[in-house]
Every structure is written in structure tokens, then in C-alpha cells.
Amino acid sequence: MLLGSDIFSDTDGFVIFSDRSWLTNKGRFLINSGFVSKTQDDIDKSYVELMNKKVLNYFTVSKMIMENDLYRNILNN
């Protein structure tokens, strides 16, 4: 019942920081300075947009969990 993936997951790594910056195997996105590729490869702009949407979704879901006290509702049923 937690957001994210565990250490045993076979998905690509994805780290989200509290300021909505993030880190993946392709590079890092810093809120104040943008995306920096981990390799010399050009990363498609749509990848960064997709990851930013994913981060926004995580924050939205987390906020909804807190606002609706989801865990108490689940554990009391």
C-alpha cells in the first residue's frame, strides 16, 4: 500500500525527491536546472515530459491518501 517499487522489482529505477526533482537510469531532472542525461545520448523531450507527469501523479495520489485518511479507512474495515 505504498507508492513506488521495491528493491526486488524488475522495473527501471525511479527516485522522486520532495521538490519534484527525479532520477532515473537515463539521467536526472532538477527542478531549477532541467534534465541532465546520464549518457551522451540525446533523450527525447517526450521522455522528460512523461516522467514529470509520472511525478505529478505520485504527488497527487499521495495527497489524496493523506486527505482521505486512506490507511485508517482500509485498516478499520
Side-chain angles (χ1 to χ4, degrees):
M1 294 192 302
L2 298 174
L3 297 174
S5 57
D6 65 39
I7 193 168
F8 300 110
S9 174
D10 61 355
T11 61
D12 289 338
F14 183 49
V15 178
I16 302 172
F17 299 98
S18 62
D19 68 349
R20 298 188 185 184
S21 296
W22 49 266
L23 175 68
T24 68
N25 60 330
K26 292 185 179 184
R28 67 182 184 273
F29 178 83
L30 302 175
I31 278 297
N32 296 323
S33 51
F35 185 75
V36 177
S37 179
K38 192 174 186 179
T39 66
Q40 299 299 324
D41 300 336
D42 286 334
I43 302 298
D44 190 351
K45 187 177 179 179
S46 64
Y47 172 77
V48 176
E49 291 171 358
L50 177 69
M51 299 311 288
N52 281 331
K53 286 180 184 179
K54 186 173 180 179
V55 168
L56 179 60
N57 287 340
Y58 272 91
F59 274 83
T60 301
V61 169
S62 294
K63 182 179 177 185
M64 291 172 67
I65 288 170
M66 301 265 298
E67 287 176 348
N68 296 297
D69 205 1
L70 179 68
Y71 293 117
R72 181 173 18 176
N73 291 330
I74 290 173
L75 295 175
N76 285 336
N77 288 327

